[in-house]
């Protein structure tokens, strides 16, 4: 018999998490699939389960001058209802699954699942978002790229819960988001990419580009970014930028796509954003 708790407060949730080493369960849209049994039977969840969906403190979204804080337990639908949700995150979340699933699924679950194909992750990398982790000892904050340590692995300790994302707002500029999948709805990505460019006085003052599903974790194409920063759009040597980006792109073949397709599509996405910048 699996023990479980559906607490209403974060402190109660942390107590159970710590005492039982209970597994957090937010929307369950990854967990129910991972532990599914035969058709018509319940999923075989292992170990104590901590249901988080009634903990209000995990669902809060608050907007400040320079950052937005998004509760890890806010559903994707709740996020989309927030008028101040940053554009890049909105575009990614709108393309996750379908409305029924977005009513349950959370960004906390998307990130803690730690799939390199998690669609909310490339925008979080571009925003240089922070994750706030809470345990009975207090809170600690990590960069999202420090939190995600490999495919399916994170820096979450077994007495911690992901409480919230602190997402620095981007100053005005151009953003880019591209999801490549078999179909528009209910399809996991073959690849997704997010980009941002800020321009001032004819020069690109900031340039960021991240890609998911092309390496063990989502990656920022830092060498390519550095080549673009400081130059004017019409002076960008696109071939040289693509060459600088290539070593970061190390995809694998799997059931959704081939490594070759992913490698080429990631570079096409970067090229597409650079072409938009040059228009
Ligand atoms: C039909 C279908 C379509 C899908 N389409 C997409 C898609 O297009 N793009 C995409 O990226 N994903 C997709 N997914 C995957 C999934 O829906 C998302 O990853 C979703 O955001 C997971 O959120 P959740 O709240 O349901 O996570 P859960 O299943 O509840 O949890 C996932 C993992 O996160 C952990 N966790 C959850 N919350 C916390 C917390 N606060 N603190 C610590 N650990 C936590 C859990 O222990 C578990 O390991 C799809 C899934 C299905 C079934």
């Amino acid at each position: 018999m699996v023990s479980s708790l559906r607490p209403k407060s974060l402190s109660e949730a942390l107590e159970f998490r710590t005492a039982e080493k209970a597994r957090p369960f937010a929307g369950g849209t990854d967990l129910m699939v991972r532990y599914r049994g035969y058709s018509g039977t319940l999923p075989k969840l292992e170990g104590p389960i901590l249901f988080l969906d009634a903990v209000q403190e995990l669902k809060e979204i608050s907007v400040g001058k320079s950052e937005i804080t998004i509760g890890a337990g806010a559903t994707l639908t709740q996020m989309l209802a927030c008028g101040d949700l940053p554009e890049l995150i909105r575009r990614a979340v709108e393309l996750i699954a379908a409305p029924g699933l977005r009513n349950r699924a959370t960004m906390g679950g998307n990130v803690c699942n730690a799939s390199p194909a998690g669609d909310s992750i490339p925008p979080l990398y571009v925003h240089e978002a922070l994750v706030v982790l809470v345990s009975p000892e207090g809170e600690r904050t990590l960069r999202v790229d420090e939190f995600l340590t490999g495919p399916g692995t994170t820096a979450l300790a077994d007495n911690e819960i992901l409480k919230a994302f602190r997402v620095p707002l981007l100053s005005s500029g151009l953003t880019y988001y591209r999801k490549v999948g078999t179909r528009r709805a209910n399809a996991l990505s073959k690849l997704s990419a997010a980009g941002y460019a800020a321009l001032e006085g004819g020069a690109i003052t900031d340039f960021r580009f991240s890609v998911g599903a092309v390496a063990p974790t989502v990656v920022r194409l830092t060498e390519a970014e550095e080549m673009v920063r400081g130059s004017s759009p019409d002076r960008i040597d696109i071939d040289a930028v693509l060459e600088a980006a290539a070593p970061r792109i190390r995809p694998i073949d799997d059931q959704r796509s081939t490594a070759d397709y992913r490698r080429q599509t990631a570079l096409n996405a970067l090229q597409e954003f650079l072409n938009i910048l040059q228009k």
Side-chain angles (χ1 to χ4, degrees):
M1 171 85 174
V2 174
S3 72
S4 65
L5 188 75
R6 186 167 178 261
K8 291 219 162 84
S9 73
L10 186 55
S11 56
E12 213 186 333
L14 285 170
E15 223 173 275
F16 188 68
R17 168 94 168 124
T18 306
E20 302 285 335
K21 300 286 172 271
R23 181 194 292 270
F25 182 112
T29 63
D30 274 315
L31 285 175
M32 298 286 275
V33 174
R34 194 182 318 157
Y35 293 102
R36 70 182 178 275
Y38 293 108
S39 165
T41 64
L42 292 172
K44 295 191 180 73
L45 292 165
E46 292 157 2
I49 302 294
L50 171 60
F51 292 102
L52 293 174
D53 62 322
V55 181
Q56 264 325 306
E57 288 142 286
L58 295 177
K59 292 177 169 284
E60 285 156 14
I61 300 179
S62 62
V63 188
K65 273 207 176 105
S66 60
E67 69 177 26
I68 179 168
T69 303
I70 303 171
T75 64
L76 303 183
T77 301
Q78 194 190 333
M79 286 171 59
L80 291 173
C82 170
D84 294 305
L85 190 69
E87 180 59 20
L88 266 183
I89 297 180
R90 174 177 300 283
R91 277 152 74 188
V93 167
E94 274 170 352
L95 294 177
I96 293 182
L101 192 131
R102 292 197 292 269
N103 290 339
R104 294 282 318 163
T106 64
M107 191 156 74
N110 196 239
V111 171
C112 289
N113 192 49
S115 161
D119 283 326
S120 69
I121 303 173
L124 291 172
Y125 270 49
V126 165
H127 273 271
E128 298 180 346
L130 304 169
V131 293
V132 182
L133 308 174
V134 60
S135 75
E137 280 100 60
E139 289 186 3
R140 66 182 177 124
T141 301
L142 295 180
R143 291 197 321 259
V144 69
D145 61 317
E146 292 171 327
F147 179 66
L148 291 164
T149 51
T153 62
T154 69
L156 189 79
D158 59 10
N159 65 348
E160 285 180 321
I161 290 173
L162 171 56
K163 184 179 173 196
F165 298 91
R166 285 177 43 201
V167 183
L169 300 175
L170 300 171
S171 39
S172 62
L174 278 176
T175 57
Y176 173 89
Y177 183 76
R178 166 74 77 174
K179 169 171 174 161
V180 180
T182 314
R183 40 174 204 226
R184 256 183 87 76
N186 269 337
L188 293 179
S189 295
K190 292 175 192 287
L191 175 139
S192 62
Y196 164 68
L199 288 124
E200 213 178 293
I204 299 166
T205 52
D206 197 355
F207 184 79
R208 309 178 194 182
F209 202 85
S210 70
V211 196
V214 295
T217 60
V218 169
V219 283
R220 281 272 295 268
L221 304 181
T222 43
E223 290 78 5
E225 291 179 353
E226 270 157 34
M227 285 184 80
V228 174
R229 257 181 234 128
S231 106
S232 66
D234 54 341
R235 292 256 166 131
I236 300 170
D237 178 344
I238 292 186
D239 288 339
V241 175
L242 298 181
E243 204 179 312
R248 294 252 166 212
I249 300 168
R250 296 174 289 123
I252 54 166
D253 292 321
D254 67 12
Q255 73 277 20
R256 284 197 294 280
S257 191
T258 63
D260 283 347
Y261 179 83
R262 285 188 163 118
R263 190 175 299 109
Q264 191 53 53
T265 311
L267 293 174
N268 290 351
L270 176 58
Q271 180 166 6
E272 183 173 51
F273 188 36
L274 294 171
N275 287 338
I276 293 169
L277 267 176
Q278 290 187 326
K279 270 185 195 151

